[in-house]
Amino acid sequence: KAYSEKGAQYYAKLLEILDPGPVLLHQTCANILSEELGRHQEALRHREIAVRQEPAPWSYQGMANTLTHLERYADADENYKKSAEMAPDDPAYLASWAWSMGQRNEHEKEFELYKKAADLAPDHPKSWRNLAQCAAKLNRTDDAARYNSKAESLEKARK
């Protein structure tokens, strides 16, 4: 955590000098502030700049994740939707949205999004692990076992 705090200080100093600064400086600063230090409100300013400078799936996803932490779910959903629409073949954006639904205890929606992500990435064990965990939350034990089995077989095949 000390390194993250120091990193946030360095990024803040760079952004003072380079105002407004390149998009990746803002994105990385926001990642440190939000994901490492839990300073979501402070991170939001950098997310807004990143989205304005480069409206891309990854910048919308970062914004949505931060908004989820701030419990601004309607705004988060708008940003997740944009990221998923901009990169419809990338399961990572659906998985992030599913994570957000899990934070709200909206497990049916979480399950649907993880299912779509697994359909896009059927060879990735993590897709099936996420789906299994969500199925377990919904007391779908047979589904959870099946998805865990799928993940295990994929993991063994990679070794």
Side-chain angles (χ1 to χ4, degrees), residues 36-155:
E36 300 295 323
L37 299 173
R39 291 165 34 192
H40 310 297
Q41 193 62 47
E42 198 175 337
L44 187 60
R45 182 175 138 275
H46 296 286
R47 297 287 190 207
E48 290 167 346
I49 293 168
V51 166
R52 193 169 46 253
Q53 286 183 338
E54 190 166 339
W58 56 267
S59 61
Y60 283 114
Q61 177 193 31
M63 173 72 87
N65 290 346
T66 298
L67 290 166
T68 294
H69 285 296
L70 292 169
E71 298 181 2
R72 290 179 47 189
Y73 300 128
D75 293 331
D77 286 342
E78 285 179 31
N79 284 273
Y80 284 123
K81 185 176 184 210
K82 286 178 186 174
S83 68
E85 287 173 347
M86 292 173 88
D89 296 329
D90 191 333
Y93 299 111
L94 293 172
S96 289
W97 199 353
W99 164 82
S100 177
M101 290 298 172
Q103 298 302 298
R104 316 169 203 190
N105 293 316
E106 293 186 28
H107 300 304
E108 284 293 342
K109 291 178 182 176
E110 177 188 15
F111 183 85
E112 291 170 22
L113 288 162
Y114 276 138
K115 180 74 173 99
K116 288 178 184 178
D119 289 342
L120 286 173
D123 297 331
H124 291 97
K126 185 171 178 154
S127 297
W128 297 102
R129 288 272 183 232
N130 289 337
L131 197 52
Q133 290 171 354
C134 190
K137 291 177 197 175
L138 294 166
N139 294 317
R140 298 180 188 169
T141 53
D142 291 343
D143 287 341
R146 190 172 73 250
Y147 298 139
N148 268 323
S149 178
K150 175 77 172 167
E152 287 171 12
S153 68
L154 289 168
E155 288 164 350

Side-chain angles (χ1 to χ4, degrees), residues 4-32:
S4 296
E5 187 61 50
K6 199 71 157 164
Q9 291 170 1
Y10 286 133
Y11 276 100
K13 189 57 124 177
L14 277 171
L15 290 167
E16 282 177 24
I17 297 166
L18 300 172
D19 189 31
V23 66
L24 290 180
L25 277 181
H26 286 283
Q27 185 73 359
T28 305
C29 185
N31 287 345
I32 292 169

